Amino acid sequence: MRIILYLGKGGVGKTTVSASTATAIARRGQRVLIMSTDVAHSLADAFSVELSSTPLEVEKNLFAMEVNVLAEIRENWNELYSYFSSILMHDGANEVVAEELAIMPGMEEMISLRYIWKAAKSGDYDVVVVDAAPTGETMRLLGMPESYGWYSDKIGGWHSKAIGFAAPLLSKFMPKKNIFKLMPEVNEHMKELHAMLQDKSITTFRVVLNPENMVIKEALRVQTYLNLFGYKLDAAVVNKILPSSSTDSYLQSLIDIQTKYLGVIDNCFYPVPIFKVKQSTAEIINTDRLHVLSQEMFGDKNPADILYSNERTQVLEKVNGKYVLSLYLPNVEVTKLNVNIKGDELLVDINNFRKSIILPNVLVGRKTEGADFAGGNLNITFAN
């Protein structure tokens, strides 16, 4: 069983890359489900078919679906949804606003995760490919399995206290069935999924980006938080690369900018493998074109394989009361080292090699205290 999640900023071509990966795996003979957890779905457009929350066989071995969170809430979580909307209406919200606000924080991420869990547990597929929402939403989604236990305990605790202290007042607003009994069941599902996501033999993450400054920074932020959560980044896909040269001066200026940022990407994501895709001159909107794209992207590699198997590229831990950030930099000779911090960005210069890391919040504002290089790891100590 394999789970592959594609992450990245909106507009980088994540859906196309995900769909081409799924198509290539299916045509190698494995049963694949590709699902979109993005509210603004475009997976159906990539396959030129209508999709829903029920998997549709697009071609042999290839199944696709788009998670419809609102439909899922209304169909399977109606009691919970109606309960909170009734409380909001009692507090003065009109019916439409109450229904909109009744979607509790985290519920969308939780439902998306449950779909991944159900697909992985079904036994119907060899590989599940996830076309994830833009980075901010995805980071919340990835944090959800760990935090769901706390989340459900708080809601369950609030419910118990409300029943104990104000039952007569709340009775007319409470549902007839105990909707909160769902929480422990879902909590177990989230724990199981969390174990799957952190099992590097099952799940890997891939980031899609373009050679643009803001997009690179967002991708680096993804890399940082994946490492903090203990998840495995096994590839970076650089999409929409322009030709190497042009006689048009305007286009050549864009090419020059991209060339600079392609070098930045090579350094920043090293040693994670980087796969590059040229800007297409035509829409990639069916499985045949998606398969051609996958061949350009992966060559003769099987995209279902784990593409990078070494340990995490970054590790943050506390040693003797101080934070130490370890960067895995194999095959890099250190004769001259310079470390600087600019805002939430750590710039590491080693000879002619520059690596940029987006710092987690706990390190922002702290000064570096020292650095050493041992066993292929650059260890940077931060002051308290």
Side-chain angles (χ1 to χ4, degrees):
M1 180 63 210
R2 282 280 281 124
I3 302 173
I4 302 169
L5 290 95
Y6 277 97
L7 316 175
K9 191 175 176 65
V12 296
K14 190 168 63 272
T15 297
T16 302
V17 170
S18 304
S20 67
T21 298
T23 302
I25 296 170
R27 291 193 178 188
R28 283 175 172 262
Q30 292 181 283
R31 287 173 64 84
V32 185
L33 171 67
I34 177 169
M35 66 168 68
S36 170
T37 62
D38 191 348
V39 175
H41 296 297
S42 55
L43 190 59
D45 298 328
F47 289 122
S48 297
V49 294
E50 291 289 330
L51 295 177
S52 67
S53 292
T54 301
L56 172 73
E57 189 168 13
V58 178
E59 64 175 41
K60 184 180 179 181
N61 294 325
L62 178 60
F63 299 80
M65 63 181 287
E66 292 179 337
V67 176
N68 187 328
V69 173
L70 289 177
E72 169 74 9
I73 291 171
R74 288 172 183 140
E75 183 177 347
N76 296 317
W77 296 75
N78 189 54
E79 290 179 336
L80 191 65
Y81 181 69
S82 300
Y83 171 46
F84 282 102
S85 63
S86 67
I87 290 176
L88 289 166
M89 282 190 287
H90 177 256
D91 285 342
N94 69 51
E95 186 172 351
V96 175
V97 172
E99 288 186 1
E100 188 70 22
L101 294 177
I103 302 173
M104 296 183 299
M107 184 176 277
E108 295 176 61
E109 288 83 4
M110 180 184 69
I111 288 172
S112 296
L113 285 168
R114 283 201 77 197
Y115 269 100
I116 298 172
W117 175 83
K118 286 193 287 186
K121 293 290 291 181
S122 69
D124 295 334
Y125 312 103
D126 302 305
V127 183
V128 176
V129 178
V130 181
D131 171 27
T135 309
E137 289 85 346
T138 301
M139 289 300 102
R140 290 199 301 272
L141 183 147
L142 295 178
M144 195 66 185
E146 280 190 307
S147 61
Y148 183 78
W150 177 90
Y151 180 76
S152 61
D153 287 346
K154 289 295 181 185
I155 292 177
W158 171 83
H159 168 70
S160 299
K161 289 177 182 177
I163 290 296
F165 291 107
L169 295 174
L170 294 175
S171 58
K172 65 179 180 179
F173 303 114
M174 299 298 286
K176 293 178 181 178
K177 291 171 65 177
N178 182 8
I179 55 174
F180 295 91
K181 70 182 180 181
L182 291 171
M183 294 299 180
E185 178 188 340
V186 177
N187 193 21
E188 288 305 309
H189 296 173
M190 293 298 101
K191 286 179 180 177
E192 195 169 348
L193 178 63
H194 187 223
M196 286 184 190
L197 293 178
Q198 289 199 314
D199 186 336
K200 297 171 182 61
S201 67
I202 296 175
T203 305
T204 54
F205 296 78
R206 295 172 187 172
V207 62
V208 183
L209 67 156
N210 306 143
E212 302 172 18
N213 186 47
M214 288 182 65
V215 177
I216 293 170
K217 295 290 176 63
E218 192 77 1
L220 290 172
R221 189 167 282 107
V222 168
Q223 184 184 42
T224 293
Y225 281 95
L226 286 177
N227 281 292
L228 283 178
F229 287 132
Y231 299 138
K232 178 72 177 177
L233 180 70
D234 79 333
V237 178
V238 187
N239 196 23
K240 301 182 181 180
I241 299 175
L242 296 172
S244 57
S245 64
S246 173
T247 55
D248 181 86
S249 60
Y250 174 73
L251 185 56
Q252 184 59 52
S253 66
L254 297 179
I255 292 169
D256 292 341
I257 293 170
Q258 280 203 350
T259 301
K260 178 182 74 172
Y261 285 123
L262 286 170
V264 171
I265 291 168
D266 287 339
N267 284 348
C268 288
F269 285 93
Y270 175 84
V272 173
I274 299 168
F275 298 89
K276 297 178 180 179
V277 184
K278 296 175 184 175
Q279 173 70 57
S280 176
T281 57
E283 284 187 294
I284 304 173
I285 52 171
N286 59 53
T287 52
D288 288 336
R289 288 183 177 177
L290 288 166
H291 188 241
V292 170
L293 176 66
S294 73
Q295 291 175 314
E296 177 192 344
M297 189 161 38
F298 296 111
D300 59 358
K301 292 182 182 293
N302 182 351
D305 289 345
I306 296 172
L307 301 174
Y308 179 71
S309 56
N310 288 332
E311 287 304 305
R312 289 176 287 176
T313 53
Q314 303 169 27
V315 177
L316 177 63
E317 55 188 351
K318 221 168 185 180
V319 179
N320 297 324
K322 294 184 179 180
Y323 288 102
V324 177
L325 178 65
S326 297
L327 307 177
Y328 183 54
L329 300 172
N331 307 317
V332 174
E333 292 185 14
V334 180
T335 57
K336 184 179 179 181
L337 172 66
N338 190 31
V339 178
N340 290 301
I341 295 178
K342 183 181 178 182
D344 66 346
E345 189 175 6
L346 179 72
L347 303 173
V348 180
D349 291 298
I350 305 172
N351 306 333
N352 294 322
F353 175 95
R354 166 170 278 199
K355 189 173 180 71
S356 175
I357 301 102
I358 300 298
L359 294 171
N361 290 335
V362 71
L363 295 182
V364 174
R366 296 177 187 269
K367 294 182 178 180
T368 57
E369 197 171 76
D372 65 85
F373 193 80
N377 286 291
L378 177 64
N379 306 304
I380 303 169
T381 304
F382 288 78
N384 286 328

